[in-house]
Amino acid sequence: MKEKEIIIIEAGIKLFAKKGFSSTTIQEIAEECGISKGSFYLHFKSKEALLLSTFEYYLNFSMENLNKIRLKHDDPREAFIEQTAYQFKEIFDHRDFIVMMIREHTIPTRRSMSDFFQRATKFSNEFYLNALSDIYRSKIDVFKYDLNMIVQGMITSYKNLFLFSNITLDFTKLAEFILERMDDIVEGLTRSNKAPVLTEQAVFDGLFFPASSQDHILKEIKRLSSAENIIEDHLITLQVLEEEMKKDEPRKPVLQGMLANIQGDEEFDSLVQLIKDVYKLE
């Protein structure tokens, strides 16, 4: 990301936290950066585009820093404690902005934003699964997906505490406390004869790494297109639908027109209903 774009992002964060997203104008952001409004548009198409870039920037920033912390520690427990403390500090330092976003319900619903949250979810689950495996090794293989949910649940609860209250805690001591509680849980699980609640199949079914609605539709289109006995008209219809679904905002008239070509054919019922449900089509 270019230096000027980072400056604009940081100015946007400052103003959004202070005034709110909807009340902050592009002109105000430009003035905060010492640039013209026209210069703003050279970098971002809209305020919503700036918001998405802000999320992307801080996700990538956090991913890089968490990885740097991991690389500087030989002991995975020490790495986890510092990584967790770092995450708590990031939440605390940006809580005004985060709380503003939650209260204003300003998250855009475009596909690009949906894709971002899918990527963030995937990163979070991979991060904790890897961290737990590094700490506990094969001891937790059968329970690793349950433990992933448990540790994220604890950490998220403390993050919410920092967001919505004035309480202050020592982030490092809190991270140590959480890891010690995970030790207790791991010890209890390894002594038990209980089966895990979450299994490998849960991952494949999308519980941990959920696909977006568009991804589900594209997967279904691909499956139907590969049928050996598909007729040419249906194949062309699926190809048009596939191209439309790859856009940020698929056009409803195009979707309706293509669905009319395959509606009533039993083999396409699941695809037709899926698209209708997602895009609220009649």
Side-chain angles (χ1 to χ4, degrees):
M1 186 170 286
K2 299 176 182 178
E3 182 179 355
K4 180 63 72 175
E5 291 173 344
I6 295 174
I7 292 172
I8 295 172
I9 284 173
E10 291 176 346
I13 285 280
K14 178 181 177 181
L15 291 172
F16 294 155
K18 182 179 179 181
K19 298 187 61 179
F21 179 80
S22 57
S23 298
T24 300
T25 66
I26 289 175
Q27 182 64 49
E28 289 171 328
I29 297 172
E31 290 175 357
E32 181 72 23
C33 300
I35 62 174
S36 68
K37 190 174 180 179
S39 295
F40 174 93
Y41 285 113
L42 291 175
H43 299 282
F44 301 103
K45 294 181 179 179
S46 64
K47 193 166 61 170
E48 287 72 21
L50 169 62
L51 183 62
L52 175 59
S53 293
T54 298
F55 291 153
E56 290 279 2
Y57 170 73
Y58 277 103
L59 175 62
N60 292 334
F61 183 76
S62 294
M63 289 170 63
E64 290 174 7
N65 284 333
L66 289 171
N67 189 50
K68 287 177 182 177
I69 292 171
R70 180 183 64 82
L71 292 175
K72 79 176 188 179
H73 288 286
D74 293 327
D75 184 347
R77 294 179 66 89
E78 292 178 359
F80 178 85
I81 290 168
E82 186 175 346
Q83 288 169 324
T84 304
Y86 164 79
Q87 292 182 75
F88 286 142
K89 186 177 186 304
E90 283 294 293
I91 289 290
F92 187 83
D93 289 346
H94 296 95
R95 62 178 178 172
D96 289 344
F97 170 73
I98 297 170
V99 169
M100 178 279 300
M101 296 298 299
I102 294 171
R103 288 177 177 169
E104 286 198 14
H105 304 288
T106 51
I107 305 296
T109 56
R110 295 169 62 90
R111 179 179 179 182
S112 53
M113 189 63 75
S114 174
D115 289 344
F116 164 78
F117 283 115
Q118 297 296 333
R119 189 164 76 89
T121 299
K122 184 174 185 292
F123 163 72
S124 182
N125 284 300
E126 287 178 343
F127 168 77
Y128 285 106
L129 284 169
N130 289 334
L132 291 169
S133 293
D134 287 344
I135 293 169
Y136 299 109
R137 303 296 179 180
S138 59
K139 185 178 183 180
I140 62 158
D141 279 352
V142 69
F143 292 109
K144 62 183 178 181
Y145 298 114
D146 291 300
L147 291 169
N148 171 59
M149 296 293 285
I150 292 168
V151 72
Q152 289 201 63
M154 285 196 284
I155 289 172
T156 298
S157 294
Y158 281 109
K159 285 180 178 179
N160 290 337
L161 185 65
F162 299 137
L163 284 177
F164 301 110
S165 76
N166 293 321
I167 191 169
T168 56
L169 298 171
D170 183 307
F171 297 142
T172 299
K173 288 183 178 179
L174 176 57
E176 291 172 347
F177 175 83
I178 289 173
L179 184 54
E180 288 168 357
R181 301 293 68 75
M182 290 303 298
D183 291 342
D184 296 336
I185 293 170
V186 168
E187 186 63 28
L189 284 175
T190 53
R191 287 201 312 266
S192 75
N193 294 318
K194 299 290 185 181
V197 174
L198 298 177
T199 63
E200 196 82 30
Q201 188 61 47
V203 178
F204 295 141
D205 289 343
L207 179 60
F208 280 90
F209 309 112
S212 66
S213 298
Q214 288 88 350
D215 289 335
H216 280 303
I217 293 170
L218 286 168
K219 185 181 293 186
E220 183 67 4
I221 289 173
K222 184 176 181 180
R223 182 185 71 79
L224 292 168
S225 298
S226 63
E228 293 182 1
N229 59 345
I230 188 169
I231 64 175
E232 185 177 0
D233 287 349
H234 286 167
L235 180 59
I236 293 172
T237 294
L238 292 175
Q239 289 171 344
V240 173
L241 281 171
E242 182 177 18
E243 289 304 310
E244 198 64 27
M245 291 309 308
K246 291 178 179 178
K247 298 177 180 178
D248 278 349
E249 294 185 352
R251 295 166 293 179
K252 288 186 178 181
V254 175
L255 297 180
Q256 288 173 320
M258 293 301 101
L259 292 185
N261 294 339
I262 56 178
Q263 195 158 356
D265 194 318
E266 187 176 343
E267 65 179 311
F268 297 107
D269 282 350
S270 61
L271 175 63
V272 171
Q273 194 58 53
L274 180 58
I275 294 176
K276 283 186 174 182
D277 290 344
V278 170
Y279 293 99
K280 305 297 187 290
L281 303 177
E282 295 296 330

